[in-house]
Amino acid sequence: MQFSETVRMESLTTTEIERALSDGVRTVIVGVGSIEQHGPQLPLSMDASYGDELSRRIALELGDALAAPVIRPGCSGHHMDFPGTISIPPETLMATIEGYCRSLDEHGFGEIVLVPTHGGNFAPIQTVVPELSRSIDASILPIADIDAHMEILCDEFSAAGIEYEQTVLHAGAIETAIMLAIDAGLVNTDAFEVGHEGDVPVSTLLSDGMAAITENGVLGDPHPATADAGELLLDRVTEEYAAMIEERRA
Ligand SMILES: [Zn+2]
């Protein structure tokens, strides 16, 4: 079995987890995604697939970490006008995160990194972490600065030679590129449609709902997306996040 497969906790046996812990693995990366509409071209799993892939890559980059099963549904109330979206209340997401952290802590993991890949999950993560951190031995690192995350993605997309000015991401070129890199078979490449263009404050998205802003569920234009650009984005976010984790350990 390749190591790249073995960092995914859910594909390991309990014996292998026990061995990893006794070999000194202390860190678990937990992606926190969503199941929600991503326009006519991307699957509902976009954010969950991204969280799954990103946590796997970060664990590999660190070399001494595992990737937990990604938390698939998130807080997507603002996408509920679009069929297929499955949203859970913030309290449920927070309780799920608490269950993950308490379980991992009990097994002896010392460092839990929360990686949200859906905008609606950042605030619940920031809410639940402080008190939870005080009640378990493991340290919890939420990488939950949405502006910083978007900045990395937008900078890297521009660096890849693709003009990109949108700062709120949803089902546009950046997410489409990431999905093309993860699993091109899940991208409906003949259904690319331009959505709402121009900046939208996140607060408006959350309070008015996506349907009030974009009829097809897309922000921006997916057309510039390429698998190569998606690969660069995944590499860059992985490096930045792994560096943040290592910096905190130092
Ligand atoms: Zn998304």
Side-chain angles (χ1 to χ4, degrees), residues 4-136:
S4 61
E5 288 170 276
T6 66
V7 296
R8 275 206 174 95
M9 281 185 76
E10 66 190 26
S11 38
L12 296 175
T13 63
T14 185
T15 318
E16 288 167 318
I17 299 286
E18 194 174 20
R19 197 180 311 135
L21 282 160
S22 64
D23 284 350
V25 170
R26 285 283 167 275
T27 302
V28 182
I29 318 296
V30 183
V32 191
S34 78
I35 299 295
E36 70 183 24
Q37 75 83 16
H38 275 80
Q41 86 282 18
L42 293 176
L44 301 174
S45 76
M46 172 68 225
D47 297 341
S49 298
Y50 176 36
D52 184 55
E53 181 62 12
L54 191 55
S55 51
R56 187 186 71 84
R57 288 182 184 230
I58 295 168
L60 274 177
E61 175 83 12
L62 291 170
D64 59 358
L66 294 173
V70 66
I71 299 176
R72 299 182 72 80
C75 300
S76 301
H78 50 300
H79 292 276
M80 281 304 292
D81 288 322
F82 296 89
T85 300
I86 292 175
S87 183
I88 57 172
E91 296 74 23
T92 308
L93 181 62
M94 291 192 282
T96 303
I97 290 168
E98 184 174 345
Y100 264 61
C101 292
R102 288 195 188 282
S103 300
L104 294 165
D105 176 62
E106 205 170 309
H107 299 315
F109 291 100
E111 183 180 54
I112 302 162
V113 183
L114 301 174
V115 180
T117 48
H118 161 61
N121 297 344
F122 285 71
I125 287 175
Q126 279 163 343
T127 305
V128 72
V129 164
E131 199 176 322
L132 184 55
S133 291
R134 290 196 301 275
S135 69
I136 61 175

